[in-house]
Structures are given as C-alpha cells and as structure tokens.
C-alpha cells in the first residue's frame, strides 16, 4: 500500500489551542483583510484565499456563523453562500480562464475537513492536464502563479458583485 502525505496541513491538525478557529479569527480581524487573504465580505459570509492552495485561485466561501453542520445554517445564509459560489465559479472561468472548477465541502473530519467545526466551501479552478503529479511523487506542491496577483485579481473581480 502506498501512503501520500500532506505535511503542510499539520498546523491545523496539531494546533494546541483546540478552540482556535482560523475562520472566526478572520471574521473578527476586519482591518487585516489583505494580510489574511480575505477577498470579500457580505452580510452572511466572506471569501478568503486558501492558505495552501491546490491550484492558483483556490479560495473558500465561509459563513460568519461558526457551525459545523450545513443543515444548521439559516436559509438566508445558505442562499447567500450559494449565490457567491456561483459568482466565484464565473470569476474563476472569466478571470483565470479555468477550464473547470471543483466546488465542494468536506463535512466533518471523517470527510477530510481540516477545519471541521466551521463549515466552508472550496472553489478550485482546474485546467486541462493540470493533475500536478509532482504533489504525488515529489511531495511538493507547485504553484505557477504569484499568489499576491491572484488575490488582487479575485478582489477586483468580486467588487462588481459585492
């Protein structure tokens, strides 16, 4: 049996302060959006760059409420998050020329959620042939884009919708 490792995720799994939620931290640090990678803020949710992106442009949409289960979200929150997921897909296709987009939620640690207590959506742009085998065989993640430019592009694109 082969084992694949993602040691960069260790910071989430072994955080000594089990009550610390990086998403709630971002929710409260309103003057630190650029430093934290917050792309946009709306009434019910916010968008943020993924700290360890699977591809350039990978970001998340997160409700302000610290809830693990999506079934506990209010309809208003769920609808707003869903609305911005659709906009996010459009932005990734138009501004990054993504050939496809993976969207999804890992609900619970058993489903692979690194930050299980606070539900969130991932939007991951994909391009034909971008399987990036170096991650699998070289234990290295290659990001061929300047993440500051990616952040700036996402922020500018979302300004038309927020």
């Amino acid at each position: 049996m082969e084992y694949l490792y993602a040691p960069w995720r260790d910071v989430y799994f072994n955080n000594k302060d089990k009550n610390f939620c990086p998403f709630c931290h971002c929710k409260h640090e309103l003057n630190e959006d650029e430093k934290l990678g917050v792309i946009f803020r709306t009434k019910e949710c916010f968008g943020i760059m993924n700290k360890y992106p699977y591809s350039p442009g990978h970001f998340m949409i997160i409700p302000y409420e610290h809830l693990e289960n999506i079934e506990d979200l209010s309809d208003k929150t769920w609808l707003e998050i869903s609305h911005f997921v659709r906009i996010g897909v459009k932005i990734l296709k138009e501004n990054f020329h993504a050939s496809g987009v993976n969207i999804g939620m890992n609900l619970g640690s058993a489903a692979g959620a690194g930050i299980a207590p606070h539900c969130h959506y991932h939007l991951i742009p994909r391009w034909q042939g971008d399987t990036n085998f170096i991650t699998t065989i070289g234990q290295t993640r290659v990001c061929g884009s300047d993440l500051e430019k990616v952040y700036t592009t996402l922020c500018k694109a979302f300004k038309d919708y927020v």
Side-chain angles (χ1 to χ4, degrees):
M1 180 184 303
E2 295 291 325
Y3 292 91
L4 301 178
Y5 297 94
W8 56 88
R9 308 264 321 209
D10 191 53
V11 67
Y12 294 118
F13 301 130
N14 293 310
N15 187 339
K16 293 188 185 345
D17 182 0
K18 297 300 179 192
N19 294 317
F20 177 77
C21 174
F23 299 150
C24 288
H25 175 75
C26 292
K27 173 177 77 173
H28 296 296
E29 295 297 324
L30 300 175
N31 296 320
E32 298 290 329
D33 282 359
E34 188 173 343
K35 177 182 171 190
L36 297 170
V38 175
I39 300 163
F40 69 87
R41 292 180 184 273
T42 64
K43 185 172 174 138
E44 303 293 326
C45 65
F46 63 99
I48 188 169
M49 295 283 293
N50 191 296
K51 191 169 183 175
Y52 304 106
Y54 288 102
S55 66
H58 176 184
F59 72 97
M60 298 171 288
I61 298 178
I62 304 164
Y64 286 115
E65 286 185 277
H66 182 90
L67 294 170
E68 183 170 359
N69 302 308
I70 61 171
E71 61 271 25
D72 294 334
L73 293 171
S74 71
D75 288 344
K76 183 178 180 181
T77 300
W78 179 251
L79 290 173
E80 186 172 284
I81 291 170
S82 299
H83 174 73
F84 281 98
V85 166
R86 286 179 56 193
I87 290 170
V89 168
K90 180 178 180 178
I91 286 171
L92 291 173
K93 288 179 178 178
E94 290 178 355
N95 291 272
F96 294 91
H97 310 289
S99 304
V101 179
N102 292 121
I103 60 172
M105 299 176 119
N106 299 321
L107 301 175
S109 57
I115 305 171
H118 198 138
C119 65
H120 54 283
Y121 254 113
H122 287 266
L123 287 87
I124 306 168
R126 303 305 304 264
W127 298 270
Q128 209 62 36
D130 75 348
T131 53
N132 200 353
F133 285 105
I134 191 73
T135 300
T136 306
I137 62 173
Q139 296 179 332
T140 302
R141 173 110 1 116
V142 176
C143 183
S145 297
D146 180 337
L147 293 180
E148 286 182 28
K149 288 180 183 176
V150 169
Y151 173 75
T152 300
T153 300
L154 286 169
C155 287
K156 285 180 182 176
F158 270 102
K159 282 188 193 284
D160 291 339
Y161 299 97
V162 178

